[in-house]
Amino acid sequence: MDLTGQLLQLLFTGFTLGGIYALIALALVTTFNITGVLNMAQGEFLALGALLAASLCAAGASLPLAFVIAVATLALLGGLLERSAIHPARHAPGLILIIITIGLSISLRGLALLIWGTEPASLPAFSGGGPLFVMGAAVNPQSLWILGLVALAVAGLHAFFELTYAGKVFRACEINRTGARLVGINPAALSFLAFAGSGALGAAAGIFIAPVTLATYDMGFLLGVKGCVAAIIGGLNSVGGAVLGGLLLGILEAFGAGLVSSGLKDALSLLVLLGVLLGRPEGLIGAVAGRKV
Amino acid sequence: MRVLEKIRPPAGTAGCPAACLIKIYKVNSSQIDFNSVVNRSYEDMLKNAVVLTVLIFFLVLPLLIRSNYLLGILIVTGLYTIIVIGLGILMGYAGQVSFGQAAFFGLGGYTAAILSTSCSWPTPAALLAAMVLPGLVAALIGRPTLKLKELYLALATLAFGILVHILFNEGGEITGGPSGLMGIPYLSLGGLVFDRDIKFYYLVLAVVLLVSLAVHNLIQSRTGRALRAIRESEHAAEAAGMDTVLLKLQAFVFSAVLAGLAGGLYAFYVTFISPSPFSFHMSVQFVLMAVVGGLGTFWGPLLGSGLVVALGEALRWAVPLVIPGAGGEYQIIFFGIILVLVMVFRPGGLGSLFSPPVHRERPGRPGEKGVDDSVAGG
Amino acid sequence: MLLEVEGLTRHFGGVAAVKEISFKLKKSEIFALIGPNGAGKTTVFNLITGMLAPDAGSLVFEGMSLAGLKPHQIAAAGITRTFQNLQLFGGMTVLENIMAGAHLKGRTGFLKALAAWPGSAREEKKIRQEALALLKEVGLAGLADLPAAALPFGRQRLLEVARALASGPRLVLLDEPAAGLNSAETKELADYLKRLREEGKSMVLVEHDMETVMEVADRIMVLNFGEVIALGTPAEIQANPEVIKAYLGEDEQVA
């Protein structure tokens, strides 16, 4: 493969990784702006969704059916967790809410371990056939599915916030909670919806990436952390920033992976997170990406 | 607001019973007729007696138990207590949380290990360095992030914690990789060599006592008052001339120094060090210990460390009975669930079971937006 | 001049909350800021104390520019404040509130506190005695040992004023100190403010209770929609038709 091909190959890998991070960051940023909670358990939604779908497929369900059931279950779980753990502590200091989501993350990971054990599960690729070749670089068709989901999620969120009444309500709630309540909007219901949506989007993302990465009970934690990195790079306040942050991190990781040992690959994104937090905590591209959620 | 209220200990709980005599003296000499002096001195004497009893209990405890396993658990609990005391200051007073305490713990341990082996430093010097290095790193992390919401220090310490754990594993010859470093000498102070568990037990007990005393001094002091004031109202604290960012930074650095101290002691205790005790899960356990025991209380750190260590040991025994073939990773499920339950229902910690939160009218406080909120009033 | 404010401006999302406000404050003066709700009075306080950064304008206190100083640095320069929505340290005792207010009088830092440095005990004793003296002065000495949050509302307001005085500031900004007080308490407060003025303290007072304002203020500045519409002595303000129109409605008379 020539140099262009190699670079292109890395770029494609980066886009795939970046798409995954972007999906997590999207859920994080949306929830954060509505509830003020950075959901450290978001990564676990991916793991649970993927594992559940894999089990359903193994039990004979078709992939679309498994997808629908897993997404619905995780939406329910997300909402349930919001009601039981986030809502009762909604007036607590930020400190407590952060600890709660970390605790949820650990509990969910333990739950996954209890149910599915340590064996990785796999899901079939959505479309058959071998990799596509673009200028000598191989593209896994599943990557295109992932990027497609990113585009769909962005379009969906955009349409929801800009075009529907409920979306405008979401934004009103974000701007002014008291004001939202005055016009008859219930912030508690929005918080519930945000977590249910996060669960659904998380499950969908998990199922989309499982054919590439396999599904394991502990895949969620680092994914969640990397989603946070992407969201922080994006400034924590915009859909566009989250997507750009995710793609940037993915490409950085893809190119960086060739330079450092695989053991240090994860260290790279953590270094990025530390660097951004210590140097430019307001995010690298928040201002550029513009519009808020 | 209800939850917010619960996390604050009632007025006066910051007081350590050990200072009872000093306190009585102070009150009398201030020439003000408090009608509560009698009650208070009685209360203080009671508290003092409790401290003394607990101290005597821990002094004679090794004579009663003849099991090295239990002694080892007590030593580790003591080391954790040191860490949790520091974390408690950060969480209970500065209102910030660190998910990287295990990394500071490990940093202290590896610093002591490497300096006392490859660099042949005397062990006390290595122990000192084990406190200084984590403190410096904490200053570096805290400076930019403590100006911002709690979220940023939490994320930065989380990233730092995982990163350091990876570095311990990937550190090659310097850290010994996953198998770690061996042959760490025993700690020797003056002519005293801490080469037996029983000696080390009393050393740790002395350090816990010393740290508790220092923290008690701190809370009673001008600086401690400022930390408590920040917890009550950050705006008012600033308006009174308190440098809130600096105070939070000091609290964070202090917590890292204590974790480093515990890490150094740990290295000299087990004389062998590997990455496994310094994972992110351990950081979460430290947070759990801090909140279970109750933030901003004197007994909280000891209580929390003891409970979580005991629970961990119990689970290690019980879980394989229920789930055959289960490893240690199952413990963390319970820790996670307990953490969530405590935070949602008892943010004041289990200690608050004994002293129910005093119901009182709070003065109006601004919403999340703080200054922006009060703008509306202009 | 104690405080010189020149062209002070601050916007919130395109709306000017404070627009080119200028005034000079003399020593031993009570300067009242009045105006309808939302006129920008509290914003002026937040700008002077560094809790908000101005978009434009300058603040000079005793000849020193306050630009870029953080709130605690401005407090150290000699300006303290009270808050409209009480910001007492509710879980701490009344005495501790005052001692916290006197934070700037002490020097004991983190390390000395850990070691219980001998000098810090002396310092602490001095701060405690001064705090008790201040409590006696405002008539709260008997309540010194109670949690601040346990005080009746009127006493809480008084405590907040006393706390702002504890560090010995040259200028105190009082944000509606009489709000929620009954008439006896209001009278007490007004007398106390006048006594403070005699001792040489300067104050900026935001207050809705016109009777108190007219009684204690040396000069009054009237704000409306972030702009100064009048500045003068109480008598001048009372006679100013524009003020009556903007502030009280056309039919009402100033008390």
Side-chain angles (χ1 to χ4, degrees):
Chain A
M1 209 189 298
D2 63 353
L3 186 65
T4 326
Q6 279 178 15
L7 289 179
L8 211 58
Q9 181 71 64
L10 286 176
L11 201 64
F12 285 143
T13 312
F15 265 107
T16 311
L17 282 171
I20 300 170
Y21 303 150
L23 283 171
I24 303 166
L26 277 175
L28 286 176
V29 165
T30 307
T31 311
F32 180 74
N33 281 286
I34 291 164
T35 63
V37 177
L38 190 70
N39 178 18
M40 298 301 296
Q42 182 63 36
E44 314 305 333
F45 290 155
L46 273 77
L48 289 176
L51 286 166
L52 181 59
S55 289
L56 289 169
C57 279
S62 68
L63 187 61
L65 181 67
F67 180 86
V68 170
I69 295 178
V71 168
T73 310
L74 264 291
L76 201 67
L77 179 69
L80 202 71
L81 291 178
E82 194 277 337
R83 279 296 102 169
S84 56
I86 305 292
H87 183 76
R90 63 196 178 284
H91 298 307
L95 164 86
I96 288 185
L97 288 164
I98 296 166
I99 298 174
I100 288 176
T101 65
I102 293 265
L104 286 179
S105 155
I106 288 173
S107 309
L108 290 178
R109 189 156 358 123
L111 185 73
L113 175 66
L114 209 59
I115 299 175
W116 285 283
T118 52
E119 281 295 303
S122 69
L123 273 170
F126 290 8
S127 48
L132 312 168
F133 285 92
V134 182
M135 293 170 67
V139 183
N140 185 335
Q142 194 65 25
S143 301
L144 298 179
W145 282 98
I146 293 171
L147 290 174
L149 182 63
V150 176
L152 194 70
V154 170
L157 284 172
H158 181 82
F160 179 71
F161 283 118
E162 292 294 321
L163 305 178
T164 68
Y165 177 72
K168 287 177 182 156
V169 167
F170 258 95
R171 291 176 61 201
C173 177
E174 172 210 330
I175 292 161
N176 185 338
R177 289 186 163 233
T178 323
R181 202 181 277 283
L182 282 178
V183 293
I185 295 155
N186 182 3
L190 296 183
S191 170
F192 175 82
L193 275 178
F195 272 85
S198 293
L201 184 58
I207 294 166
F208 271 62
I209 67 171
V212 186
T213 64
L214 295 182
T216 58
Y217 81 97
D218 61 352
M219 71 192 272
F221 180 62
L222 268 180
L223 281 176
V225 170
K226 288 176 182 174
C228 280
V229 183
I232 295 270
I233 293 176
L236 262 184
N237 61 2
S238 79
V239 163
V243 174
L244 279 179
L247 294 178
L248 206 65
L249 183 67
I251 290 166
L252 193 75
E253 248 189 32
F255 279 85
L259 304 173
V260 293
S261 78
S262 61
L264 287 172
K265 197 189 114 228
D266 293 330
L268 195 71
S269 57
L270 295 166
L271 267 177
V272 172
L273 178 56
L274 264 182
V276 173
L277 283 174
L278 303 190
R280 258 187 78 87
E282 68 274 25
L284 290 178
I285 46 184
V288 186
R291 200 184 66 77
K292 288 186 85 181
V293 172
Chain B
M1 206 51 86
R2 193 173 58 86
V3 178
L4 197 79
E5 186 124 346
K6 275 201 224 156
I7 200 175
R8 288 156 207 279
T13 48
C16 156
C20 144
L21 294 173
I22 306 164
K23 220 177 195 174
I24 296 169
Y25 166 73
K26 266 189 193 159
V27 171
N28 285 340
S29 68
S30 61
Q31 296 169 339
I32 283 296
D33 183 26
F34 290 115
N35 48 15
S36 56
V37 162
V38 180
N39 275 336
R40 257 170 120 209
S41 61
Y42 174 73
E43 217 173 85
D44 282 355
M45 244 146 46
L46 194 73
K47 284 184 192 165
N48 225 5
V50 172
V51 169
L52 214 62
T53 314
V54 171
L55 186 61
I56 291 171
F57 171 75
F58 279 113
L59 278 172
V60 301
L61 193 57
L63 309 175
L64 303 176
I65 55 166
R66 303 214 159 269
S67 139
N68 265 341
Y69 163 73
L70 279 179
L71 199 60
I73 287 186
L74 286 173
I75 291 171
V76 168
T77 306
L79 293 176
Y80 289 173
T81 305
I82 298 170
I83 299 171
V84 176
I85 288 173
L87 187 58
I89 297 284
L90 179 72
M91 293 174 67
Y93 295 99
Q96 298 270 344
V97 61
S98 161
F99 286 103
Q101 290 315 96
F104 293 125
F105 181 42
L107 216 52
Y110 272 93
T111 305
I114 292 167
L115 289 179
S116 62
T117 54
S118 327
C119 306
S120 320
W121 281 34
T123 48
L127 187 60
L128 195 68
M131 297 163 71
V132 172
L133 186 70
L136 289 177
V137 174
L140 202 73
I141 296 174
R143 259 189 76 87
T145 46
L146 281 166
K147 288 178 196 152
L148 306 160
K149 279 193 198 161
E150 306 89 350
L151 178 71
Y152 288 89
L153 185 76
L155 272 180
T157 50
L158 185 147
F160 169 73
I162 306 170
L163 189 63
V164 166
H165 193 240
I166 292 175
L167 292 181
F168 288 158
N169 269 309
E170 303 286 327
E173 277 176 26
I174 305 170
T175 64
S179 51
L181 296 169
M182 287 194 275
I184 303 167
Y186 290 114
L187 180 67
S188 68
L189 291 169
L192 198 57
V193 181
F194 293 90
D195 52 358
R196 286 177 47 216
D197 279 14
I198 187 80
K199 288 186 188 172
F200 210 87
Y201 172 86
Y202 285 110
L203 174 71
V204 170
L205 184 60
V207 173
V208 170
L209 201 67
L210 210 68
V211 170
S212 303
L213 199 69
V215 164
H216 165 252
N217 288 337
L218 175 74
I219 297 308
Q220 295 297 302
S221 74
R222 166 180 177 268
T223 306
R225 192 165 48 236
L227 282 168
R228 283 184 284 147
I230 292 177
R231 183 177 66 186
E232 300 280 344
S233 165
E234 201 157 340
H235 286 315
E238 284 188 341
M242 295 164 187
D243 188 343
T244 54
V245 177
L246 179 70
L247 282 160
K248 287 178 185 176
L249 185 64
Q250 287 171 329
F252 179 48
V253 169
F254 181 59
S255 78
V257 168
L258 285 185
L261 169 66
L265 288 173
Y266 176 83
F268 290 127
Y269 166 56
V270 291
T271 66
F272 150 80
I273 201 160
S274 73
S276 56
F278 310 119
S279 66
F280 170 70
H281 280 171
M282 200 61 228
S283 288
V284 176
Q285 281 192 45
F286 289 139
V287 172
L288 178 64
M289 291 173 193
V291 299
V292 162
L295 295 173
T297 60
F298 180 74
W299 293 109
L302 182 65
L303 200 67
S305 311
L307 278 173
V308 173
V309 169
L311 181 68
E313 291 301 311
L315 286 174
R316 216 168 58 168
W317 169 78
V319 168
L321 298 182
V322 185
I323 312 160
E329 62 258 81
Y330 283 91
Q331 287 177 26
I332 202 76
I333 313 174
F334 294 91
F335 290 150
I337 293 171
I338 296 169
L339 189 58
V340 174
L341 290 178
V342 171
M343 285 287 82
V344 174
F345 297 108
R346 275 271 157 196
L350 294 186
S352 65
L353 288 174
F354 307 118
S355 51
V358 198
H359 181 77
R360 54 169 194 258
E361 291 295 314
R362 290 196 67 80
R365 26 178 61 248
E368 290 277 293
K369 294 239 162 65
V371 169
D372 299 343
D373 252 24
S374 43
V375 162
Chain C
M1 283 300 139
L2 189 71
L3 177 73
E4 293 167 67
V5 177
E6 189 64 54
L8 200 62
T9 301
R10 168 77 199 209
H11 297 263
F12 289 111
V15 182
V18 168
K19 203 166 163 188
E20 290 180 24
I21 287 180
S22 304
F23 62 92
K24 290 190 165 96
L25 194 69
K26 287 178 265 192
K27 200 174 168 336
S28 307
E29 181 179 32
I30 298 182
F31 186 89
L33 257 161
I34 64 170
N37 280 327
K41 306 181 296 280
T42 297
T43 306
V44 172
F45 275 19
N46 288 337
L47 290 168
I48 295 176
T49 53
M51 296 196 162
L52 286 173
D55 294 332
S58 70
L59 291 157
V60 177
F61 181 66
E62 296 179 333
M64 184 182 83
S65 169
L66 298 181
L69 291 188
K70 299 198 180 78
H72 71 93
Q73 292 169 321
I74 287 173
I79 303 177
T80 59
R81 69 173 291 181
T82 69
F83 294 86
Q84 182 188 333
N85 48 3
L86 285 175
Q87 294 271 319
L88 285 173
F89 307 130
M92 293 159 68
T93 66
V94 169
L95 179 63
E96 282 177 321
N97 266 269
I98 301 292
M99 290 173 77
H103 184 79
L104 287 163
K105 282 184 174 172
R107 286 279 156 271
T108 304
F110 206 93
L111 286 177
K112 280 187 180 175
L114 285 172
W117 210 254
S120 57
R122 274 197 303 278
E123 176 188 287
E124 190 75 358
K125 194 174 167 190
K126 185 167 165 283
I127 290 177
R128 176 183 294 264
Q129 272 164 358
E130 287 176 7
L132 283 165
L134 178 58
L135 282 177
K136 204 173 255 175
E137 194 182 315
V138 297
L140 292 174
L143 307 170
D145 230 11
L146 288 176
L151 296 193
F153 189 74
R155 304 283 104 180
Q156 289 194 12
R157 280 258 179 238
L158 196 58
L159 177 59
E160 177 133 331
V161 174
R163 185 183 62 188
L165 292 164
S167 65
R170 264 95 64 213
L171 173 62
V172 187
L173 313 182
L174 302 165
D175 202 344
E176 299 198 23
L181 300 193
N182 62 34
S183 58
E185 288 170 335
T186 306
K187 181 80 183 64
E188 212 175 300
L189 178 77
D191 290 343
Y192 185 50
L193 297 186
K194 284 192 274 187
R195 212 159 69 231
L196 286 171
R197 175 174 55 195
E198 276 160 34
E199 292 166 11
K201 286 259 184 288
S202 310
M203 284 159 272
V204 180
L205 175 69
V206 164
E207 188 49 65
H208 280 299
D209 180 41
M210 278 311 119
E211 209 172 321
T212 307
V213 169
M214 295 303 162
E215 185 192 339
V216 303
D218 298 299
R219 285 187 300 153
I220 298 173
M221 185 165 85
V222 188
L223 293 181
N224 199 17
F225 295 111
E227 287 182 272
V228 180
I229 57 172
L231 174 63
T233 63
E236 288 165 4
I237 295 298
Q238 275 171 311
N240 187 325
E242 201 174 337
V243 174
I244 296 168
K245 190 172 134 199
Y247 188 59
L248 297 169
E250 303 203 20
D251 303 332
E252 286 182 55
Q253 283 294 313
V254 179

